[in-house]
Amino acid sequence: MPNHADADAREILPDLQPVPAIRFLTTTDFPPFNFRDSAGEVVGYNIDLARRICTEIDIACTIQAWPWDQVVSALEDNQGDAVIAGVAMTPETANAIDFSAIYLALPGRFVTRAEDVDGFDPDALATLKVGVRDGSAHDAFLQHYFPTAARVAFASEGEALAALEASEVKAYFGDAMRAAFWLNDNPACCNFASEPYFRPNQFGEGLAVGVRAGQDKIRHAIDWALVRLKDNGTLDELYLRWFPVGFY
């Protein structure tokens, strides 16, 4: 199970007087994290998490959906207090946003055909063709840490995974979360092999809640809630609900 909770946050007992409510901003273009269901309701992992955070802190909570290209500026303009929409931690966003603790990191992983999972050895890649998306961070990782691998570059992750399904390559390496979605649709074909690789400097820091810069009371309250939600099993419950093919 994912476990990225900051143990020090257990000692942060937030003074909730300045935090009567949290207005969450999200988008509807990032399934299964935040999207509209068939009835038009905004649902997803992030939506459930936002509600559980507010329940844990015992404060009021609203969730507003914004277009992706407007959600950060809406936060800056005080249209909301926090954004939970997969906004990346970059030098640009850091100017306007302070981020909570990571609640879900996104590792890289190998995928093989089901019959090859048990015997897969990452140290023996010199004899195996490994599919990867050309020019991606995972491609750079593969070339750096497994330089003897028989790398086969594809224009997209979908093409690389299709080549694995067709046995044109023996393994695939890429973003574990997106691979999990593909595996969910191809359960008889393939599965994850070996362990996950966490490289925040290459694959991104992961998912966190963003608050307007300087809003430490809100950020501390969210961090405190995330630790409690991990301790009481809520984060594990949400992970299992929204990711039936786990990618850790």
Side-chain angles (χ1 to χ4, degrees):
M1 293 292 181
N3 187 4
H4 310 294
D6 179 0
D8 292 339
R10 290 185 174 85
E11 307 306 320
I12 300 173
L13 299 177
D15 176 5
L16 298 180
Q17 292 303 316
V19 189
I22 297 179
R23 297 170 298 161
F24 279 99
L25 305 179
T26 191
T27 66
T28 58
D29 58 356
F30 188 32
F33 291 95
N34 27 273
F35 63 102
R36 291 195 186 278
D37 64 12
S38 58
E41 297 294 324
V42 181
V43 297
Y45 176 97
N46 282 339
I47 309 308
D48 285 352
L49 177 59
R51 289 177 175 139
R52 297 297 185 91
I53 287 171
C54 291
T55 298
E56 197 66 36
I57 302 172
D58 193 22
I59 61 174
C61 180
T62 61
I63 301 173
Q64 303 174 33
W66 283 73
W68 170 253
D69 59 355
Q70 298 177 27
V71 70
V72 172
S73 60
L75 182 68
E76 294 180 87
D77 292 341
N78 197 26
Q79 298 296 313
D81 303 304
V83 57
I84 185 163
V87 175
M89 298 181 188
T90 66
E92 292 74 25
T93 57
N95 291 328
I97 298 175
D98 291 336
F99 287 95
S100 74
I102 301 296
Y103 59 84
L104 196 65
L106 305 176
R109 291 205 67 175
F110 286 102
V111 179
T112 69
R113 291 190 60 82
E115 61 269 20
D116 297 328
V117 168
D118 291 340
F120 180 74
D121 181 2
D123 295 324
L125 291 183
T127 61
L128 300 178
K129 289 183 178 180
V130 181
V132 67
R133 179 166 66 85
D134 191 27
S136 65
H138 302 88
D139 187 7
F141 176 91
L142 191 68
Q143 293 185 65
H144 180 77
Y145 290 100
F146 300 96
T148 62
R151 169 182 160 273
V152 182
F154 293 87
S156 70
E157 293 163 333
E159 290 180 23
L161 287 163
L164 174 63
E165 184 177 22
S167 297
E168 295 170 6
V169 296
K170 291 292 288 182
Y172 161 82
F173 184 75
D175 179 78
M177 181 186 69
R178 290 194 288 270
F181 300 154
W182 184 86
L183 289 170
N184 190 57
D185 294 332
N186 297 271
C189 160
C190 309
N191 211 331
F192 288 118
S194 188
E195 74 276 5
Y197 294 87
F198 294 92
R199 295 296 188 278
N201 62 323
Q202 288 183 283
F203 305 153
E205 295 286 346
L207 301 183
V209 181
V211 302
R212 286 195 316 281
Q215 297 296 308
D216 290 341
K217 290 289 187 180
I218 294 175
R219 181 171 56 84
H220 288 164
I222 291 171
D223 282 345
W224 182 76
L226 288 173
V227 172
R228 290 173 63 89
L229 292 173
K230 179 59 184 178
D231 287 347
N232 65 29
T234 298
L235 289 185
D236 293 346
E237 173 202 330
L238 294 180
Y239 178 74
L240 292 171
R241 178 190 304 172
W242 287 102
F243 305 103
V245 177
F247 50 88
Y248 273 62

